[in-house]
Amino acid sequence: MIGTIEVCCFRLQQGQLQVLLHKRKIEPFINQFGLIGGGILAEQDTDIKDTASRVLQQRANLAWRYLEQVNTLANNHRDPRDWSICCLFLAIIDPEQKVNPHCKWINVFDLINSKVNLAFDHLSLIQQALLRLINKTQYSSLPVYFFADQFTLPELQDAYETILRSKLPKAAFRRRLNRPDILVATGEQDRSQNRPAALYRSAEQHLLVHFDQLMKGHSNTAPDTTHSDEP
Amino acid sequence: MIGTIEVCCFRLQQGQLQVLLHKRKIEPFINQFGLIGGGILAEQDTDIKDTASRVLQQRANLAWRYLEQVNTLANNHRDPRDWSICCLFLAIIDPEQKVNPHCKWINVFDLINSKVNLAFDHLSLIQQALLRLINKTQYSSLPVYFFADQFTLPELQDAYETILRSKLPKAAFRRRLNRPDILVATGEQDRSQNRPAALYRSAEQHLLVHFDQLMKGHSNTAPDTTHSDEP
DNA sequence: GAAATAGTGTCTCTAAGACATTATTTC
DNA sequence: GAAATAATGTCTTAGAGACACTATTTC
């Protein structure tokens, strides 16, 4: 039995929520696509989060802006070779970063609808990570992490709407998010649209802000009642 | 490196939220108290949740009414012997059940205030599991799982108030919880108080119901932004 | 000026929170 | 009847959702 991690990386690019896959070059599941993953190296990694960071760097040449444990899968059927224990992480990646050539970003909703065969249980892992992302977007400022630099409120609202796959009322959205503990106006403006929009960055030490009430899209996603059966 | 689980068991007894500890009979931390835990047996356990159930049964002679993965701890400093990977579970236990003599139930808030030394990082694990319990109590029907059989609405409200350590407004509480997808009146009454109270049991297939809005006590507990730093 | 996008004002509605009131029991 | 507890009614308030309106730019 060996301990491994898998990282489900998300980014927003051109209004799409994308997930990172790579083509496996070894058995099992050779030439199929799967998540970025790897084993714990007890000599190098002081903590399992370090393992995730290191694997992300080594396999995909990526650094995360947000990294969170989602679930631990451990059973005798997910790996055809042996009992397997695997810790799943959700990462948010800055879209400016380039990835290695054997990696590709694809639309996560298209992927799930396509029912393509991924290596191991990786499709299920992606669904779990996506559910966590959707749930947390409903009640927190998490999507701020998708932006590396400055951004406008309409861009942030687009991020929420892309993740939740539903439109949100503009006034209420702005009332919620435009709080000094979440956003700080930089004084600059984005002039790429017609009327210029104020630019913001995340507040100093932007820890996740949790709201008291859900932002509900229209699409009804079941709550992530799971951490292997919660959120 | 070996894979282990620890289970943080909670129950409500006489208006107290209690956690289960047992006295270790082996090194390290011999004669100190700690959580119930044990290793994965690849031959017996088909899934890590099975491991938790089996360990709970073997070590404490207990069956759970609710069992949820909270976090996975894996680092090089939590066990003095070696790199350790450990999956933490939260369990809710029926107070009718008897435990083995080397186990004891103690008030979890007293334990945390007492700053007693527990084995390994078990005090931290208890705090994580407690935080999850508190958070989920704020936005779901989870405390229903503390009741094995029938219960009254005032008893259920007491459960919430004990976990959240604050009083809740009665009318709003009843409006929230008294929904047919959460509670079903049995037609019977509890006559132990003055005016009899209607008895309920959890609705058929009582899956956790998530509320759209938090129930906020007065005591401000930080949100469980962690699963090693979320929910 | 027309079109497009940013940003605000205001009304309604839902549900929480506060509090009073009624209902049913024991003594 | 008094005390205790269960259960309900009602008022206020906060914030979401809906929607119209204003503001600032490009063309």
Side-chain angles (χ1 to χ4, degrees):
Chain A
M1 180 171 54
I2 196 164
T4 63
I5 62 97
E6 302 284 344
V7 190
C8 185
C9 296
F10 292 105
R11 73 172 189 182
L12 285 171
Q13 179 76 319
Q14 286 152 358
Q16 297 204 330
L17 181 63
Q18 298 179 324
V19 66
L20 185 66
L21 297 181
H22 87 290
K23 197 172 205 169
R24 290 177 60 85
K25 284 169 293 190
I26 54 168
E27 289 287 0
F29 299 104
I30 191 167
N31 289 327
Q32 281 191 263
F33 282 92
L35 293 174
I36 309 290
I40 294 168
L41 294 182
E43 309 78 31
Q44 291 182 40
D45 308 329
T46 62
D47 188 278
I48 198 165
K49 201 166 174 174
D50 296 337
T51 308
S53 297
R54 178 181 53 74
V55 168
L56 200 51
Q57 171 63 47
Q58 291 178 349
R59 296 272 159 97
N61 191 33
L62 287 175
W64 47 267
R65 294 186 49 73
Y66 180 83
L67 184 66
E68 168 186 328
Q69 214 187 102
V70 173
N71 194 9
T72 295
L73 291 300
N75 57 53
N76 63 5
H77 49 273
R78 60 179 305 275
D79 187 322
R81 294 165 296 186
D82 195 3
W83 227 93
S84 159
I85 181 164
C86 165
C87 190
L88 172 64
F89 284 83
L90 179 165
I92 294 179
I93 306 290
D94 166 10
E96 306 287 302
Q97 293 184 74
K98 295 282 169 260
V99 290
N100 290 339
H102 61 287
C103 296
K104 68 171 181 182
W105 289 99
I106 71 164
N107 183 304
V108 65
F109 300 112
D110 290 348
L111 174 71
I112 286 172
N113 287 333
S114 76
K115 304 285 188 205
V116 68
N117 283 324
L118 298 186
F120 302 100
D121 53 0
H122 288 192
L123 188 61
S124 160
L125 301 190
I126 290 168
Q127 282 170 325
Q128 290 177 46
L130 175 61
L131 200 51
R132 173 69 62 90
L133 175 63
I134 290 171
N135 285 329
K136 222 151 174 169
T137 295
Q138 281 190 95
Y139 66 80
S140 82
S141 58
L142 178 62
V144 168
Y145 283 97
F146 280 95
F147 297 92
D149 194 33
Q150 302 184 97
F151 52 89
T152 66
L153 275 171
E155 284 170 344
L156 184 59
Q157 184 169 353
D158 279 345
Y160 274 82
E161 291 177 344
T162 300
I163 296 164
L164 298 176
R165 284 197 293 176
S166 68
K167 297 291 285 181
L168 298 173
K170 182 167 56 168
F173 180 84
R174 299 171 73 98
R175 278 193 299 256
R176 269 203 184 209
L177 271 297
N178 199 355
R179 298 169 27 170
D181 55 342
I182 302 177
L183 301 180
V184 176
T186 63
E188 297 182 58
Q189 289 186 327
D190 175 302
R191 308 184 70 85
S192 65
Q193 304 297 318
N194 279 336
R195 172 170 170 177
L199 282 163
Y200 297 82
R201 61 175 80 254
S202 60
E204 218 56 43
Q205 33 72 304
H206 172 249
L207 303 175
L208 227 44
V209 173
H210 288 237
F211 305 123
D212 292 346
Q213 204 163 337
L214 291 187
M215 225 166 349
K216 310 183 61 176
H218 308 117
S219 73
N220 267 342
T221 318
D224 176 8
T225 173
T226 4
H227 168 125
S228 92
D229 91 314
E230 180 257 8
Chain B
M1 180 172 52
I2 198 162
T4 64
I5 62 97
E6 302 285 344
V7 190
C8 186
C9 296
F10 292 104
R11 73 172 189 181
L12 285 171
Q13 179 76 321
Q14 287 153 354
Q16 297 205 328
L17 180 63
Q18 298 179 325
V19 66
L20 185 66
L21 296 181
H22 89 290
K23 197 172 203 170
R24 291 177 60 85
K25 285 170 292 190
I26 54 169
E27 290 286 1
F29 299 103
I30 191 167
N31 290 326
Q32 282 192 260
F33 282 93
L35 293 173
I36 309 290
I40 294 168
L41 293 180
E43 307 77 33
Q44 292 183 38
D45 308 328
T46 63
D47 187 278
I48 197 165
K49 201 164 172 173
D50 297 337
T51 308
S53 297
R54 178 181 53 74
V55 167
L56 200 52
Q57 171 61 48
Q58 292 178 349
R59 298 272 160 94
N61 192 33
L62 286 175
W64 48 266
R65 294 186 47 73
Y66 179 82
L67 184 64
E68 167 187 329
Q69 211 186 103
V70 173
N71 195 8
T72 295
L73 291 300
N75 57 52
N76 62 6
H77 49 272
R78 63 179 301 278
D79 187 322
R81 295 164 297 186
D82 195 4
W83 226 94
S84 157
I85 181 163
C86 164
C87 190
L88 171 64
F89 284 83
L90 178 164
I92 294 178
I93 306 290
D94 167 10
E96 306 286 302
Q97 294 184 73
K98 296 280 171 260
V99 289
N100 290 339
H102 60 286
C103 295
K104 69 169 181 181
W105 289 98
I106 71 163
N107 183 305
V108 65
F109 299 112
D110 290 350
L111 173 69
I112 286 172
N113 287 331
S114 76
K115 303 287 183 199
V116 67
N117 283 325
L118 297 186
F120 302 99
D121 52 359
H122 288 192
L123 188 61
S124 160
L125 301 189
I126 290 168
Q127 282 170 326
Q128 290 177 47
L130 175 61
L131 199 50
R132 173 69 62 90
L133 175 63
I134 291 172
N135 285 328
K136 221 151 174 168
T137 296
Q138 281 189 94
Y139 66 81
S140 82
S141 58
L142 179 61
V144 167
Y145 283 97
F146 280 95
F147 297 91
D149 196 32
Q150 303 184 97
F151 53 89
T152 66
L153 275 172
E155 285 169 346
L156 184 58
Q157 185 169 354
D158 279 346
Y160 274 82
E161 291 176 343
T162 300
I163 296 164
L164 299 177
R165 285 197 293 177
S166 68
K167 297 291 285 180
L168 298 172
K170 181 165 58 169
F173 181 84
R174 298 171 75 96
R175 278 193 299 253
R176 269 203 183 206
L177 272 297
N178 199 356
R179 297 169 28 169
D181 55 342
I182 301 177
L183 301 179
V184 176
T186 64
E188 296 182 61
Q189 289 186 327
D190 175 301
R191 307 184 70 85
S192 65
Q193 304 299 318
N194 280 336
R195 172 169 169 178
L199 283 163
Y200 297 82
R201 61 175 77 255
S202 61
E204 219 56 44
Q205 34 71 304
H206 172 248
L207 304 175
L208 225 44
V209 173
H210 288 236
F211 306 123
D212 291 347
Q213 205 162 336
L214 292 186
M215 226 166 348
K216 310 182 61 174
H218 307 119
S219 74
N220 267 342
T221 318
D224 177 6
T225 172
T226 1
H227 168 123
S228 92
D229 95 311
E230 180 254 4

